[in-house]
Amino acid sequence: MENLHAYRLLMNSYLSCPYDLVRSKESLQCAKKISLQNFINNVINGFFSKSCKEHHVLALLKMVDTYRRDLKRSVFDSTMEYTIALATITDHFLQITCDYIEEGNHTYVEHDKGLIINQYNEDQYSVKKLLTEVDEELSLLYAKEVCVELQKSFRCLPDVIELIDMMNGERHLYFPSKDGSDQSDFIYYSRPLVEKEINRICS
């Protein structure tokens, strides 16, 4: 039971910030991604916690201004790098927010995971996640874990999972197979990492 609880905490943490689990050898680079991801999550959670009437660009910019103060400047190589990263992410925030306002869809955020859910009806929904950086391996593993977790909540798979790289604006689309046959790889690849972290948490 203790391990199951630790697993749930770990998976929520992974969906919120995957870089915290898949640590690279470049610890400072990893710390930078984690700090930026926490900033992105806070802005998104803060924005979508507002009423629909307050979903406008000015509200977003206020969120950016509020949470940028929590960014750890020590993980950046220079003030210029910090400024460029903040400006780049803010620019992509504005593009995404403008798209959302124009679409006017029924959208909400799972706050503990930072997943943006757009639900059309009981059986159809899409998922969007804003990530600091996305590479091909992370994209595949992350999307599969989103499927595993959300199927428990919705009892059906999302139509599409969109992962947005906030540093370059690229969008990675993942279309889950309805029979779930493409999700088993996540367990295989992630199990050693998961077990290692669970043992650390429970020790």
Side-chain angles (χ1 to χ4, degrees), residues 14-198:
Y14 175 78
L15 290 176
S16 176
C17 181
Y19 317 108
D20 208 13
L21 174 60
V22 188
R23 294 186 183 276
S24 66
K25 294 180 180 179
E26 302 173 275
S27 57
L28 188 61
Q29 185 70 14
C30 185
K32 187 189 307 178
K33 290 181 181 180
I34 292 171
S35 183
L36 287 170
Q37 187 61 52
N38 290 335
F39 165 70
I40 291 168
N41 291 344
N42 287 336
V43 171
I44 286 297
N45 289 338
F47 180 78
F48 280 100
S49 67
K50 300 286 186 181
S51 66
C52 291
K53 293 180 180 179
E54 297 178 274
H55 286 175
H56 48 70
V57 170
L58 182 58
L60 174 71
L61 292 176
K62 286 182 178 178
M63 290 295 166
V64 169
D65 185 57
T66 297
Y67 291 111
R68 70 178 175 81
R69 301 164 194 170
D70 297 331
L71 274 173
K72 297 179 180 178
R73 297 201 183 195
S74 60
V75 301
F76 294 91
D77 294 332
S78 64
T79 301
M80 180 175 289
E81 184 187 36
Y82 160 82
T83 303
I84 291 174
L86 183 61
T88 300
I89 289 175
T90 301
D91 182 52
H92 292 140
F93 263 137
L94 290 171
Q95 294 176 31
I96 293 164
T97 303
C98 288
D99 290 343
Y100 160 73
I101 292 172
E102 287 181 7
E103 292 170 359
N105 292 323
H106 178 61
T107 306
Y108 64 93
V109 170
E110 288 207 348
H111 289 274
D112 58 338
K113 304 178 182 72
L115 299 174
I116 303 173
I117 310 293
N118 181 15
Q119 190 164 10
Y120 319 122
N121 53 53
E122 290 185 0
D123 300 322
Q124 286 186 300
Y125 66 100
S126 63
V127 180
K128 186 178 293 183
K129 175 69 177 184
L130 314 185
L131 292 166
T132 306
E133 290 182 356
V134 182
D135 59 34
E136 186 174 346
E137 183 179 13
L138 172 63
S139 174
L140 183 60
L141 293 180
Y142 189 89
K144 288 181 177 182
E145 176 57 12
V146 168
C147 289
V148 171
E149 291 299 304
L150 291 186
Q151 190 167 31
K152 298 173 185 176
S153 303
F154 291 88
R155 299 189 181 281
C156 61
L157 292 170
D159 294 331
V160 60
I161 297 170
E162 183 179 3
L163 306 180
I164 301 178
D165 187 319
M166 294 296 281
M167 289 306 296
N168 60 32
E170 290 183 359
R171 297 172 183 249
H172 301 254
L173 299 179
Y174 178 80
F175 298 91
S177 63
K178 293 304 179 182
D179 61 2
S181 60
D182 59 349
Q183 295 166 41
S184 59
D185 288 346
F186 177 83
I187 303 301
Y188 175 78
Y189 286 115
S190 68
R191 181 170 291 171
L193 290 169
V194 171
E195 289 180 347
K196 182 179 179 180
E197 286 296 303
I198 287 176

